[in-house]
Amino acid sequence: TSNSVNFNVTNPVPTPTSRGTASATAGDAGFDLPVNGTNFIASSVVQWNGASRVRTYVCPTLVTAAILTGDLTTLGSFAVTVFNPTPAGGTSNGQTFTVGNPVPTTTDISPTDVLAGSSGFTLTVNGTNFVSSSVVKWNGSNRVTTFVNSTQVTAAILTGDLATAGTFPITVFNPTPGGGTSGAQTFTVNNPVPTTTSILPISKLVGATTFSLVVNGTNFVPTSVVRWNGSTRSTTFVNSTQLSATILTADLTIGGTFP
């Protein structure tokens, strides 16, 4: 019998082509991740960002790995690779798995309305899936936000936000990876009820011509309208305590008292 010459049967380099899912939300529970590819062997090891995970060999084109709850606590992109041991073998190229922020939801806000002209205040937003980097948006614009917990954030609403009456959407945005913008809650800036304290002049003679009536009071807004006997008259906003209105010659043809 001759001397021997070694013949090597080596493990191939594995090649993953896809994984069962490409992403998860931070805080999710661990799960079994299927990895599809070629050249898997019974001793193949799935690696999460370089760290080995318990795996199950199914066939040369499929292995599964136990991804841990602890793997899903940190945001980022992580490489999923497969390693075949020696002889030969080696580590495959990586498939990217993303751990991202959840999409937030809002359930209610407090308060829900204020009067136009009010000072800025702190708005409380309740919901789910809030994270430390969540941002409250007023009508699409970011506001300084304080994270309270995963179900509550607060935001600094500005005095300038409350200058004009209207309805404004309140949303919460979670940044990438993952993340997104919540549905909207409606905040209402209401006009106040005006009060009148005096008018000038307080009388005219029948047959007088058109003149400007000064109305003094409180809570006037740019859209305030002076009414003569229930009918709208052309009105000029002077400030929150004064308006002027055009009283018509036709208003002065009959004697009487008019509100």
Side-chain angles (χ1 to χ4, degrees):
T1 301
S2 73
N3 59 302
S4 64
V5 177
N6 292 330
F7 184 93
N8 295 318
V9 179
T10 60
N11 287 323
V13 177
T15 306
T17 56
S18 64
R19 56 265 179 270
T21 181
S23 62
T25 299
D28 282 353
F31 66 98
D32 288 335
L33 177 69
V35 181
N36 300 297
T38 59
N39 296 333
F40 300 151
I41 59 177
S43 54
S44 292
V45 176
V46 177
Q47 297 175 322
W48 171 272
N49 219 37
S52 298
R53 292 292 174 263
V54 173
R55 62 95 185 99
T56 299
Y57 173 78
V58 180
C59 66
T61 60
L62 177 64
V63 289
T64 65
I67 304 304
L68 308 177
T69 298
D71 296 330
L72 308 175
T73 57
T74 303
L75 299 177
S77 296
F78 303 90
V80 176
T81 56
V82 178
F83 171 75
N84 284 354
T86 55
T91 301
S92 73
N93 58 300
Q95 295 286 310
T96 300
F97 191 98
T98 302
V99 179
N101 280 318
V103 177
T105 64
T106 58
T107 54
D108 61 86
I109 56 177
S110 179
T112 59
D113 63 277
V114 298
L115 292 177
S118 295
S119 298
F121 67 96
T122 298
L123 177 72
T124 298
V125 183
N126 298 305
T128 60
N129 295 335
F130 300 152
V131 296
S132 59
S133 52
S134 292
V135 176
V136 174
K137 292 177 178 269
W138 168 278
N139 205 31
S141 297
N142 293 352
R143 292 295 174 262
V144 174
T145 303
T146 300
F147 174 77
V148 180
N149 54 48
S150 63
T151 62
Q152 188 175 93
V153 289
T154 64
I157 304 304
L158 308 177
T159 298
D161 297 331
L162 312 173
T164 305
T167 56
F168 303 91
I170 303 296
T171 56
V172 177
F173 170 75
N174 285 355
T176 57
T181 302
S182 71
Q185 299 290 316
T186 299
F187 190 94
T188 304
V189 179
N190 294 307
N191 279 321
V193 177
T195 62
T196 58
T197 56
S198 63
I199 57 174
L200 187 69
I202 61 171
S203 65
K204 283 284 185 176
L205 293 176
V206 171
T209 58
T210 297
F211 71 98
S212 291
L213 177 72
V214 174
V215 181
N216 298 304
T218 60
N219 295 335
F220 300 154
V221 296
T223 52
S224 294
V225 175
V226 174
R227 290 179 172 170
W228 170 278
N229 205 31
S231 297
T232 298
R233 292 293 175 261
S234 178
T235 303
T236 299
F237 175 78
V238 180
N239 54 47
S240 63
T241 62
Q242 190 173 93
L243 307 168
S244 68
T246 301
I247 305 304
L248 307 175
T249 299
D251 297 330
L252 309 172
T253 57
I254 301 173
T257 57
F258 302 91

